C-alpha cells in the first residue's frame, strides 16, 4: 500500500544521532499510519511483576516520555498487560517522544547476559512541520523476554492522500540520558501495590530525581499536584525527601469504589512554592 525513499545519516557518539528524511507515496488510503515507530520489550518491572521468576525485572524500556511542547512533558510507565492495550495521547504539536530505560541498577535485573541496565534510550525529534495527530502507545502481552511487545508511533489525524508525496523529517537519538530537556525533575521509578482489603484501591510510589531537584533546600515545601478523573478518591497524597540524596518520593493512595469501570488516567507532578519543577507522571490505572 505504500512505497518510498529514505535517507539515513548516522552520527555516532555518546548520543548517537540518525537523521531520517523520507518521501512516501501511498497507493491507497490507510487509516492508521504509524510514523517513526519505536519498538521495545517489557515483561516485568519493580512493583509490577506478574511472573514467578528469579529475575524481578526484565525490560528494554520502562516508560514512554512524551513532550507535546516546551512546557509539557509526560512520563507514562509501561506495564504488564493480560491483553492488548492501546493508549492515545492527542496533542496539537509534538516536540519529541521516546521509549526510555531509566532503571539502570544492575542487581535489580540479575541478568549478566541481556544486561538490561545498559539498554539505550530511543528519542524521536521531529524536524520541520509534522501533521497534526496523536501519539499511540501499543502494549501487548509478553510471552517471554525475547520479542518486542511495545510500540510507540505518531498517527496523523488526516491519512496521507494516495498518489501524492508525503514527506517526513526527524532525528533519532540513541543514548543513556534519562531525559531530553524539559523540567528539572524526572520520574526515576514508579511502583504500584494493591490493597488486600480494598479491591478497587491502589497505592503508587513514585520517585522523582535529578541533580537540580536534589539542590532544592531540604526545608522547602514540596507538594504534589494531581489531575484525576471524576469519582477517584484520594486517601493519601504525601511527598517526602530522601535523607541521603534529597530526591523526592511521592506516595499516592487512591480509591475507585465510586467511579466507573476504568481504566483511569492518573497524573501527578511536584511543585515547590507553587512552581512546577518535574515532568508529569501519567499512569493508566485499571483497578
Amino acid at each position: 500500500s505504500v512505497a518510498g525513499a529514505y535517507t539515513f545519516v548516522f552520527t555516532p557518539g555518546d548520543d548517537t544521532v540518525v537523521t531520517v528524511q523520507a518521501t512516501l507515496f501511498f497507493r491507497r488510503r490507510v487509516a492508521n499510519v504509524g510514523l517513526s515507530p519505536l519498538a521495545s520489550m517489557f515483561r516485568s518491572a519493580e512493583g509490577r511483576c506478574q511472573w514467578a521468576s528469579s529475575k524481578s525485572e526484565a525490560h528494554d524500556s520502562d516508560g514512554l516520555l512524551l513532550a507535546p511542547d516546551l512546557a509539557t512533558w509526560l512520563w507514562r510507565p509501561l506495564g504488564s498487560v493480560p491483553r492488548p492495550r492501546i493508549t492515545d495521547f492527542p496533542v496539537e504539536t509534538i516536540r519529541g517522544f521516546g521509549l526510555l530505560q531509566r532503571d539502570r541498577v544492575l542487581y535489580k535485573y540479575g541478568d549478566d547476559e541481556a544486561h538490561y541496565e545498559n539498554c539505550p534510550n530511543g528519542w524521536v525529534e521531529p524536524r520541520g512541520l509534522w501533521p497534526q495527530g496523536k501519539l499511540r502507545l501499543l502494549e501487548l502481552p509478553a510471552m517471554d523476554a525475547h520479542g518486542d511487545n511495545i510500540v510507540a508511533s505518531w498517527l496523523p489525524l488526516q491519512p496521507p492522500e494516495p498518489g501524492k508525496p508525503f514527506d517526513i523529517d526527524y532525528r533519532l537519538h540513541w543514548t543513556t540520558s534519562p531525559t531530553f530537556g524539559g523540567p528539572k525533575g524526572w520520574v526515576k521509578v514508579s511502583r504500584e501495590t494493591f490493597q488486600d482489603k480494598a479491591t478497587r484501591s491502589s497505592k503508587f510510589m513514585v520517585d522523582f530525581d535529578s541533580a537540580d531537584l536534589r539542590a532544592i533546600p531540604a526545608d522547602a515545601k514540596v507538594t504534589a499536584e494531581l489531575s484525576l478523573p471524576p469519582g477517584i478518591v484520594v486517601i493519601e497524597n504525601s511527598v517526602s525527601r530522601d535523607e541521603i540524596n534529597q530526591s523526592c518520593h511521592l506516595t499516592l493512595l487512591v480509591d475507585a469504589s465510586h467511579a466507573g469501570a476504568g481504566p483511569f488516567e492518573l497524573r501527578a507532578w511536584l511543585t515547590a512554592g507553587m512552581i512546577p519543577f518535574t515532568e508529569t507522571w501519567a499512569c493508566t490505572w485499571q483497578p
Side-chain angles (χ1 to χ4, degrees):
S1 60
V2 61
Y6 282 78
T7 298
F8 302 94
V9 178
F10 292 79
T11 306
D14 291 337
D15 177 10
T16 293
V17 179
V18 184
T19 302
V20 182
Q21 293 178 298
T23 299
L24 307 176
F25 291 88
F26 286 80
R27 299 186 179 94
R28 60 180 179 85
R29 186 173 293 273
V30 179
N32 294 310
V33 178
L35 301 177
S36 187
L38 294 173
S40 191
M41 183 278 294
F42 183 97
R43 188 184 185 197
S44 60
E46 184 178 10
R48 300 191 299 279
C49 183
Q50 295 182 351
W51 289 269
S53 171
S54 59
K55 301 174 182 178
S56 61
E57 299 194 44
H59 50 76
D60 294 331
S61 305
D62 52 11
L64 166 73
L65 182 62
L66 169 63
D69 50 55
L70 287 173
T72 308
W73 291 68
L74 302 178
W75 173 256
R76 163 63 155 75
L78 300 178
S80 302
V81 294
R83 60 188 62 87
R85 179 170 69 182
I86 292 177
T87 306
D88 288 337
F89 299 86
V91 293
E92 293 184 0
T93 59
I94 181 69
R95 177 177 173 81
F97 68 90
L99 294 173
L100 277 59
Q101 183 81 308
R102 283 182 168 173
D103 197 339
R104 298 193 173 277
V105 181
L106 172 61
Y107 76 84
K108 291 185 179 181
Y109 298 99
D111 194 319
D112 57 2
E113 180 182 358
H115 283 289
Y116 297 115
E117 76 280 358
N118 293 329
C119 289
N121 298 328
W123 178 255
V124 177
E125 176 194 353
R127 292 173 11 124
L129 184 62
W130 272 29
Q132 287 191 340
K134 58 187 176 183
L135 193 286
R136 170 163 292 180
L137 175 65
L138 170 63
E139 297 168 285
L140 301 175
M143 303 307 295
D144 51 45
H146 304 295
D148 287 347
N149 63 316
I150 305 295
V151 181
S153 61
W154 181 255
L155 275 66
L157 290 180
Q158 297 297 328
E161 289 291 332
K164 295 183 179 180
F166 182 89
D167 297 321
I168 185 168
D169 190 352
Y170 57 93
R171 290 191 183 99
L172 280 173
H173 296 262
W174 299 102
T175 177
T176 56
S177 173
T179 189
F180 295 86
K184 297 178 179 179
W186 45 271
V187 177
K188 185 176 182 179
V189 67
S190 175
R191 309 174 187 86
E192 176 185 358
T193 59
F194 300 97
Q195 308 304 295
D196 293 336
K197 297 181 180 180
T199 56
R200 290 180 60 79
S201 180
S202 287
K203 176 178 285 187
F204 297 91
M205 290 78 70
V206 185
D207 292 340
F208 293 85
D209 200 6
S210 79
D212 291 327
L213 188 153
R214 296 188 208 116
I216 295 177
D219 58 351
K221 185 177 181 181
V222 178
T223 59
E225 299 294 326
L226 307 179
S227 175
L228 306 176
I232 301 298
V233 177
V234 178
I235 301 174
E236 180 181 356
N237 172 14
S238 62
V239 178
S240 59
R241 300 289 293 273
D242 189 295
E243 295 181 358
I244 298 176
N245 61 21
Q246 293 300 308
S247 62
C248 291
H249 178 82
L250 166 65
T251 301
L252 179 64
L253 179 58
V254 291
D255 185 87
S257 299
H258 303 288
F264 304 102
E265 181 76 8
L266 312 179
R267 297 191 177 187
W269 61 96
L270 302 187
T271 64
M274 301 303 294
I275 300 176
F277 66 91
T278 70
E279 63 191 16
T280 299
W281 171 77
C283 176
T284 300
W285 177 43
Q286 181 62 68

